[in-house]
Amino acid sequence: MGLELKNRAASYLEPILYVGHGLYDWLFVIVSIAITMNFDALSNLSVIQDRAFAKFWLAWGPGFTANENESAVPALVASAYGVVVELGPASGNQLPRMDISKIEKVYGVEPVISLHAPLRLSIKENKMNDIYHIVPGSIEDESALEKFGVTPGTVDTIISIQVLCSVPNPQETTRRLYQLLKPGGQLIIYEHIENEDMVTRQMQKFWTLVWPIFLGNCHLGRPTQRYLESAGKWSRVELKNNQSESTASLLPRVWGRLIKASSPQMND
C-alpha cells in the first residue's frame, strides 16, 4: 500500500516538470518578442503559443521519440503505405521510421509554423524531398488539404502519434480521418487516453486546467479510443492499451490500427 501511494504521488506530481518548462518557454518567447518591439506579435496569443510550443518540443521531442523505441510505434509507422497523411509531424521525428519503398506521397499536416523549418531539415536528411509535402494548417482545415489533393476517400494510411490529444474537436476529427481514408485504408495510432482509475482520472482533469495552455493544447484524459472505434465502419480494429498496468499513469496509451471497411454495409 505504501509503495502504491508513493508511485501515485510521483505520477500525479510529474506534470509540474513539464508545465514548469512550458511556462518558462512562454516567458522566454514573450521577453524575446518584447525586446524586438514587435507589438503585433506580442499581442497575438496564437503567435506566442506557436513559438513557445516549438521551443518546448525541440527540447523535449527527441527524448519522447527515443522512449517510443521500446513501444509499438516504430513497427506501426513502418507499416505505412501508399498515400500517407501524417498528423502533427512536428520536427519530423517519425520520418526515419517510414519505409519509403512502400510510400507514394506523404502529406504532413503541421499547424505550428515555427516547426516547419526543422521539419524541412528532417525531410532533407531522410531523402524524402520528392515525396513529403508540408501542409500548413490543421486536419480540420479542408481547404488546406484540398490544395494538395487530399479529399475524402483518397488516403491509404493516416499516422497519428500523440496528436489527437491536441485537436480542438477530437470526436469530429476522428470522423474526418475516417472519411479521408480509402476503403481498406488504415489509421495508425499511438495516443494517450483517459485512465479508467477514478482517482487518476480526476487528476487528469485537474492538470488539464493548465496543461493545454503550455503544451500545445494537449488534453489529458480524452476518451480517444472510444472516439476512434465509433468514427465509422471498420473491418478490423486492432487496438491495445496498457490500462491494466497503468492505473496511476496520467498518460496511459492506446496503440494499433483501424482498417476502414471496404463497403458501407460491412460491420466492425
Side-chain angles (χ1 to χ4, degrees):
M1 177 65 80
L3 181 60
E4 181 184 352
L5 289 175
K6 184 177 180 180
N7 289 339
R8 281 183 179 268
S11 177
Y12 296 163
L13 293 174
E14 186 178 11
I16 293 174
L17 173 64
Y18 300 111
V19 170
H21 198 289
L23 175 60
Y24 166 80
D25 291 334
W26 266 71
L27 294 174
F28 181 91
V29 168
I30 290 171
V31 171
S32 299
I33 294 175
I35 289 173
T36 65
M37 300 185 69
N38 185 344
F39 298 113
D40 287 339
L42 194 60
S43 62
N44 191 325
L45 188 61
S46 63
V47 169
I48 295 172
Q49 187 173 27
D50 180 292
R51 296 184 186 180
F53 179 71
K55 189 176 187 315
F56 176 90
W57 179 260
L58 292 174
W60 289 88
F64 296 155
T65 304
N67 290 337
E68 292 168 357
N69 287 333
E70 304 302 318
S71 73
V73 171
L76 286 169
V77 174
S79 71
Y81 70 90
V83 176
V84 178
V85 168
E86 182 183 13
L87 305 187
S91 52
N93 305 63
Q94 302 302 330
L95 270 60
R97 295 169 174 162
M98 295 182 184
D99 182 350
I100 60 176
S101 68
K102 299 188 296 187
I103 293 174
E104 180 182 341
K105 295 287 183 183
V106 185
Y107 299 99
V109 185
E110 180 50 67
V112 180
I113 303 301
S114 298
L115 287 171
H116 285 191
L119 176 55
R120 281 192 290 269
L121 179 60
S122 182
I123 292 169
K124 182 178 180 180
E125 289 175 345
N126 288 279
K127 298 179 172 58
M128 298 178 72
N129 286 317
D130 293 336
I131 65 170
Y132 200 107
H133 306 278
I134 300 175
V135 180
S138 65
I139 191 63
E140 298 86 8
D141 188 348
E142 294 184 19
S143 61
L145 293 169
E146 287 173 355
K147 291 177 183 177
F148 291 84
V150 179
T151 56
T154 62
V155 179
D156 296 293
T157 303
I158 297 174
I159 300 173
S160 179
I161 308 297
Q162 304 193 108
V163 175
L164 295 178
C165 57
S166 300
V167 298
N169 301 295
Q171 197 164 12
E172 181 180 325
T173 297
T174 53
R175 288 195 292 263
R176 168 74 173 150
L177 299 180
Y178 176 86
Q179 292 168 357
L180 289 175
L181 287 171
K182 297 177 182 177
Q186 62 175 349
L187 171 54
I188 292 171
I189 66 107
Y190 180 78
E191 300 284 350
H192 61 80
I193 54 177
E194 67 177 352
N195 202 306
E196 294 173 353
D197 181 89
M198 182 179 67
V199 176
T200 304
R201 190 160 61 248
Q202 295 306 311
M203 291 303 300
Q204 287 179 315
K205 292 179 180 178
F206 168 76
W207 279 112
T208 297
L209 296 173
V210 293
W211 185 272
I213 299 172
F214 301 112
L215 282 89
N217 200 44
C218 174
H219 286 67
L220 302 173
R222 283 181 168 176
T224 302
Q225 183 169 351
R226 187 164 71 247
Y227 292 156
L228 288 163
E229 291 174 345
S230 63
K233 293 292 184 181
W234 306 104
S235 62
R236 297 209 305 274
V237 176
E238 302 171 352
L239 299 180
K240 297 180 180 179
N241 66 60
N242 60 354
Q243 288 276 12
S244 61
E245 56 198 66
S246 304
T247 56
S249 175
L250 298 177
L251 296 167
R253 312 287 181 176
V254 61
W255 63 89
R257 63 179 189 154
L258 303 95
I259 312 298
K260 186 174 182 177
S262 56
S263 68
Q265 287 75 33
M266 288 188 66
N267 294 322
D268 293 349

